[in-house]
Amino acid sequence: MECSFADPASEAEWNDFYSKDKLPALISVPGFHTSQRFRALSHGCPVYLAIHSIDNPGILTSEEYRQKGGGNFARWQQHIADWHRNLYDGLARAPAIGADDCLALSAVGAAPLRKMGLDPASMYAIALEKVPEHRWLARINRAAQTVLGHVPEGVHLYAPMTEQLTSSADTAAGN
């Protein structure tokens, strides 16, 4: 999920809701495995990004998803802009991005990430908007990104806003 938020007066409260209420609610839905939020360090992309690892698209139509996490934005809906939802396949689980790292995300191919010295993972859209059709992501150390300086066109960097949450079932299983 990607979006921007157009009301600076309520943005902090919205971020608290999303990070402290919505993510934990989502991760409690059977079939959700990981959830993490990010804020763009780059321009030309939505400000916020949330990445969730789920079992399959059917999770998003389940009653439990609708009750716990599907929506719940009524209070802030009028301020949510540039909103996009996609479901990608290609990774079993999203990588956890720590406080010393950034997430590098490309919709223009793996080559720009490789030029940055990264080893990108490939994903392809299977549901929801399906745009962009392919994405590549990689973890990059913030210090290395600072040394690199220039970020290639089509690559966006995101700083983690939260730790990656893991479902209690995955934690208990040691995943």
Side-chain angles (χ1 to χ4, degrees), residues 58-122:
I59 303 298
L60 302 179
T61 58
S62 72
E63 183 60 31
E64 193 157 2
Y65 172 76
R66 282 194 292 274
Q67 292 295 319
K68 290 184 174 180
N72 300 329
F73 285 111
R75 181 173 175 194
W76 295 283
Q77 192 73 41
Q78 65 186 349
H79 305 299
I80 296 172
D82 202 10
W83 185 61
H84 305 280
R85 288 177 61 204
N86 282 293
L87 187 59
Y88 290 96
D89 202 351
L91 294 174
R93 299 284 189 270
I97 307 298
D100 293 334
D101 297 321
C102 301
L103 178 70
L105 192 60
S106 170
V108 297
L113 296 172
R114 287 192 182 111
K115 285 181 183 177
M116 296 171 69
L118 304 175
D119 184 22
S122 175

Side-chain angles (χ1 to χ4, degrees), residues 24-33 59 62 64-66 68-69 167:
L26 286 172
I27 205 69
S28 74
V29 174
F32 269 76
H33 298 283
I59 303 298
S62 72
E64 193 157 2
Y65 172 76
R66 282 194 292 274
K68 290 184 174 180
S167 72

